[in-house]
Amino acid sequence: MNSYFPLVGILMSKGSKENIFRGDKLFLRGIQQEVQKIGGLSFVFTPDGFSSTQVTGYFYVDKTKKWAKAVFPLPNVVYNRISSRKAETKNPFIQVVNQCYQKNIPFFNDSFFNKWTIHQILQQNKQLLPHLPKTIIYSDLNSVFSMLYRFKSIYLKPVQGYKGKGIFKVSFHKGLYELYEQEEKTTFTKEELSEEIKKRIEEKQYIIQKEIKTDQFEQCKYDLRAICIYDEKRYNIINIGVRKANKGNILTHVPNGGEIIHLDKIKNRYDKNEIFWLADEVGKSISAAYHFVGEFSLDIGLSRNGHPYIFDINSKPMIFDEEYIQNKRNKELAKLFHTLAVKRKEIEPPFHR
């Protein structure tokens, strides 16, 4: 195994008895293929397979079309794809992170992002302020109604949410309170709405965000999903996917009924250079606050005159349904793994605390 360079460890959550690890195996095979093309090898491991001197993990064997178990030397790079926030609070994961930093093994990305923390980081960058919807943390019902009366339409989002789960919209129009969830709309009195919000939020942390009236395609809202990867001191957009909501739906996510449309259909509605600048600026801001951020996805909404707004940032981007985007992502990740492995002793702030 020592002859492979780079040797890349992909950290995954433990699976069930039938599945030794959790995760999209097609994605993992795609990365392994790209790493092998440059003379390296990637393998998958779970936190309990890691020790101070070696790692027990798995790699895909084309001949048998199965994942084979093997013992590996410590990797040159670790790519964090742990699938749950809870797992990142457990000792086995923390021990892997600590061992990597002690041994100067590049480790990315440290953790899932928290929407409120990310917003606080980004708003410290004055250049990004025009691209951030007005956002506050939910403290009580007064915070909801204060934002609602000011902006007439707001989104409530769980700070640890993903794939659109838990998101709902509230509007105030002509004395009526309306709550939207996906394609459903319900009208409430103020008292009924208060009870409904309390029931939905309970003990969870939420942010409250002004609704941006976004551009539409075929009378439906859409947003841009940019995959961004670090490359030679800047964050580059590898490609952009477009997700269009069903008519009347507040969510564009495919699992919630959203549809994939090709970028060419809306490419004249925004300034490409501005989007690329925005991605790099976001990357630099979050990397100054976190350990090394190797990749992230950026959800961008466009106003009706093409002004971009940042709706969400994900430290563990989902697998892109567009094969050409995912293939390019795999290649760029392999390239970054190699760069980090070569320069592992040269990474300087802001990428380390």
Side-chain angles (χ1 to χ4, degrees):
M1 296 294 180
N2 287 317
S3 61
Y4 291 102
F5 187 87
L7 186 60
V8 179
I10 304 177
L11 180 56
M12 307 291 289
S13 296
K14 197 170 183 178
S16 62
K17 289 181 180 178
E18 294 77 21
N19 293 300
I20 44 185
F21 54 84
R22 292 172 59 188
D24 190 308
K25 292 180 174 60
L26 193 62
F27 171 49
L28 298 169
R29 284 165 53 189
I31 290 179
Q32 183 178 308
Q33 287 169 359
E34 292 302 328
V35 173
Q36 285 178 305
K37 286 178 185 177
I38 59 174
L41 179 68
S42 68
F43 66 91
V44 178
F45 72 100
T46 59
D48 57 4
F50 192 93
S51 77
S52 61
T53 57
Q54 61 186 31
V55 187
T56 301
Y58 305 86
F59 68 103
Y60 187 76
V61 181
D62 286 318
K63 277 188 179 180
T64 62
K65 299 191 183 303
K66 291 181 180 178
W67 291 86
K69 187 176 182 178
V71 177
F72 299 85
L74 292 179
N76 304 117
V77 181
V78 171
Y79 177 42
N80 176 20
R81 293 293 299 185
I82 287 284
S83 59
S84 80
R85 293 174 187 271
K86 188 175 181 181
E88 290 185 339
T89 66
K90 302 291 185 184
N91 266 340
F93 173 81
I94 294 168
Q95 286 173 4
V96 174
V97 176
N98 289 340
Q99 286 276 355
C100 286
Y101 286 127
Q102 286 169 18
K103 297 179 184 299
N104 203 32
I105 298 172
F107 184 97
F108 76 92
N109 293 341
D110 261 19
S111 63
F112 285 96
F113 290 152
N114 173 299
K115 287 180 173 58
W116 177 237
T117 304
I118 288 293
H119 179 78
Q120 290 176 298
I121 290 167
L122 297 184
Q123 69 178 358
Q124 291 174 25
N125 183 333
K126 291 181 180 179
Q127 294 185 85
L128 291 177
L129 286 175
H131 303 279
L132 302 175
K134 174 64 179 176
T135 304
I136 64 171
I137 191 73
Y138 172 87
S139 55
D140 54 28
L141 288 170
N142 288 334
S143 60
V144 174
F145 287 105
S146 173
M147 287 281 282
L148 186 58
Y149 295 148
R150 182 178 175 187
F151 298 115
K152 307 307 178 190
S153 190
I154 57 175
Y155 278 89
L156 286 95
K157 303 177 179 181
V159 298
Q160 297 185 340
Y162 62 100
K163 297 182 183 178
K165 291 183 179 180
I167 294 177
F168 59 98
K169 183 176 93 168
V170 179
S171 294
F172 179 66
H173 181 64
K174 294 183 178 179
L176 295 176
Y177 297 91
E178 296 171 333
L179 186 147
Y180 299 77
E181 184 175 37
Q182 295 191 31
E183 297 175 357
E184 295 181 6
K185 180 179 81 170
T186 309
T187 302
F188 292 101
T189 64
K190 184 176 181 179
E191 291 72 23
E192 290 169 339
L193 178 62
S194 298
E195 289 304 311
E196 183 67 20
I197 290 173
K198 283 194 290 186
K199 183 176 74 176
R200 286 169 178 268
I201 290 180
E202 296 179 312
E203 300 301 315
K204 303 185 194 80
Q205 254 202 319
Y206 265 70
I207 57 170
I208 309 168
Q209 197 166 77
K210 171 189 175 183
E211 180 187 16
I212 301 298
K213 298 297 182 184
T214 55
D215 187 33
Q216 294 190 339
F217 180 80
E218 297 176 343
Q219 298 182 310
C220 299
K221 68 178 295 179
Y222 69 88
D223 54 36
L224 312 181
R225 303 286 167 86
I227 182 73
C228 312
I229 295 181
Y230 180 75
D231 179 27
E232 297 299 326
K233 298 186 179 179
R234 67 173 289 112
Y235 286 88
N236 289 328
I237 291 180
I238 302 308
N239 218 315
I240 298 173
V242 184
R243 301 292 180 265
K244 185 190 81 165
N246 281 340
K247 196 166 185 178
N249 197 330
I250 65 166
L251 299 175
T252 60
H253 304 75
V254 173
N256 295 306
E259 178 187 345
I260 297 168
I261 63 173
H262 199 280
L263 183 63
D264 285 349
K265 293 185 176 179
I266 56 95
K267 67 179 182 180
N268 296 323
R269 302 190 184 194
Y270 68 93
D271 182 336
K272 181 180 176 181
N273 291 331
E274 186 177 27
I275 297 292
F276 275 64
W277 167 84
L278 191 62
D280 185 43
E281 205 64 34
V282 166
K284 288 173 179 174
S285 292
I286 58 179
S287 287
Y290 283 80
H291 282 114
F292 180 64
V293 177
E295 72 166 346
F296 61 91
S297 63
L298 193 58
D299 292 1
I300 298 171
L302 301 174
S303 72
R304 287 167 185 174
N305 64 0
H307 182 79
Y309 285 92
I310 300 165
F311 286 164
D312 199 12
I313 303 172
N314 191 336
S315 68
K316 297 184 188 179
M318 293 169 60
I319 314 309
F320 275 74
D321 294 302
E322 298 94 330
E323 194 173 333
Y324 66 95
I325 295 180
Q326 189 57 46
N327 288 344
K328 182 73 185 302
R329 176 188 179 189
N330 293 344
K331 287 179 182 178
E332 292 300 318
L333 281 172
K335 178 182 169 184
L336 177 55
F337 295 149
H338 187 272
T339 299
L340 291 176
V342 170
K343 298 184 177 181
R344 59 188 284 187
K345 294 182 181 179
E346 301 173 18
I347 299 175
E348 297 175 354
F351 303 115
H352 284 276
R353 287 192 181 94

